[in-house]
Every structure is written in C-alpha cells, then in structure tokens.
Amino acid sequence: MLANFFSKSTPIKVFYLIIVFAIFYFLAVLSSLYYENSFVFWLSKLGVLTLFIFYVFVGSFINRKNSLTLDNLYAFLLTVLLLASFKQTFFNINFLFSNIFLLFSFRKIYSLKSGIKTKLKLFDAAIWIGISALFFEWNSVFLLLVYIGMFIHQRVSFKNIFIPIVGFIAPIFLFFTYCFYTDSFSIFIQNFQFRWSFDFLKYNSIQLLIPFTFLLTVLLWSLIIVTPNIIVISNKLKKSWYILIVHLLLALLVVVVSPVKDGSEILFLIFPATIVIANYLPKSKSENFKNLILYLFVGIAISVYFL
C-alpha cells in the first residue's frame, strides 16, 4: 500500500518521486497555453524543472536536518502531489525564486535550537527574507518568524533584536542603490507597493476548489490531532512545532493577501503544510485511513489535468 511504501526513506523511492514529478511537470507544460515546440522553449522549461527539483530537495533537507518529521517520505511525496495539484505553480517563476530564498531562511530559523552561531543564523535568515521580498514584497512578513524563532529558543538579547533588521534591510538597500544609480527608482517603488486582493473568484473553478478544500481539511484535521500530543509530550519537536504553527499562519496570510489568485500562491503554503500532515500520517492508527488520504491526494493531482 502507498502509506507503507513511503514509510521509509530510500534513494530509489526518492528517484521514483522525481520521475513522477517530472511527468506531472511536463503534462502541465503540454496542457498550458504557453506551449511551443522549440529548442529554447524546452531548454527553459528543463531549467525551471531543475529549480523545482532543487526546491523540493532543499525542503526535504530542512525537514531531515531539523527532525521535523520521522524518517519517512510523506513530506516529500505530499510536496510533489501538491505542486502537481496546483499546476499553476509551475509557471510563476517569481514565486518559485522567492520560495527558494525563503527556504534558505527557514533552514536558519529552524536550526536556531542548536544554539550554535546564533547571531550569524539570525543575520543570514533575515538576508534571505530580504532577497525574497525583492521578488514578492509580502514575503517581508516572514521576518516575524525570525523573531518568533529567537523568542521560542530563548536567544533574545539586545544585539539579537537588531541583527535581523540589519540583515533584512541590507539586500533591499543594495537594490535601492542600484535603482537610484541606474535612474530606475520607479522599479523599486513598484516592487514595494504591497498590492493585495481578496478576490477568490478563481477558486470557484473545480481545478482549484477541490485540491484547496481537501488540503485545508486534511491540514486542519492534522493540526487538531497532532498538536495536543506534541505539546503534552515534552520532546525535541515541541519548540519547532510552535515555530511551524506560526510559519503556517504567516504562509496563510501571504496566500490570502496575495494579488495573484490563480493557485500559484499556494506555493508559500506547501512547506509548512506538508510537514504538519507528514507528522499526522504516522500517528494514524488506521492504515486504511492513511492510505485513503494519500490516494485522494494522488487522485486529485491526476484529475486536475483532465478537468
């Protein structure tokens, strides 16, 4: 069964998932309106696929390095299936780059628990958030996650409070200097207008409504079941779980306010959501229920290409 197959992480299973992901990606490209048969087009799409695979592996590395889930491939599998379910994510390069830079930041935030090189990690985390904000201004809200991580892991000090601010401003100031020097200040202004939209009309389409509703349902159920167990049982995941919940809320905020409402904004939600759900699946006592959830994720990922 699917749940049992991915309950242990092995290189060959990872390879299978990458192949499946590539198939989903090229199906999305072939079914898009932007399809053209040329060498340059396919080379660019291959480059984008490589970036997505890199994104998936960075997320998996953060998960494994910080023991956010058990040693299984549930988070990896769910990341592949959610990207496939919201296939518009494959065509928003700005969101892809901004999420890769955010992952670099999250790697530093979740590793604050080690207490090693705290100041450098705070600075690096804020720099990556600042860079990601150049691609999508609303990523600035994730600076709050740096302070939440600092507070939860008890790394608060006078210097540490100001370090993330300096790190966050540094890349933005460099971009401002470049725009000022090249007489393109209007580009800088456009980048930080903080446009928003609450128009969810596109979510009425079956292609978005079904995967989004199912994702939120499973995510909420997983939070309700897993959170009390982690809070009551004092383990190494507890502090990271608090950070993860705030991370999830900030990601939901970005999705809600994003001026882009075509499904690609779900990319900001995928990392925390998959970690939460991947923590629930091993705790489910019913093997049939676990398999049902995973098969539904698979079914939805496939069905959106035929709706």
Side-chain angles (χ1 to χ4, degrees), residues 197-210 212 255-256 258-263 265:
S197 170
F198 299 110
D199 181 10
F200 289 90
L201 189 61
K202 288 186 178 180
Y203 278 73
N204 289 330
S205 69
I206 297 177
Q207 278 189 335
L208 285 180
L209 185 61
I210 292 177
F212 187 68
V255 170
V256 169
S258 171
V260 179
K261 290 290 192 297
D262 60 4
E265 68 279 7

Side-chain angles (χ1 to χ4, degrees), residues 46-67:
L46 188 61
V48 173
L49 174 62
T50 304
L51 284 173
F52 268 106
I53 292 173
F54 179 70
Y55 163 83
V56 174
F57 272 106
V58 172
S60 179
F61 173 80
I62 296 169
N63 175 17
R64 188 176 65 256
K65 191 73 173 177
N66 296 283
S67 302

Side-chain angles (χ1 to χ4, degrees), residues 57 90 92 149 169 241 277 300 305:
F57 272 106
F90 293 138
N92 196 322
I169 291 175
W241 192 259
I277 299 172
I300 289 170
Y305 292 84

Side-chain angles (χ1 to χ4, degrees), residues 8 16 23 98 102 108-109 118 145 168 181 199 226 297:
K8 284 292 180 182
Y16 289 153
I23 292 171
S98 66
L102 283 176
K108 299 295 182 180
I109 294 170
T118 297
L145 194 64
F168 176 74
Y181 180 76
D199 181 10
V226 176
F297 270 116

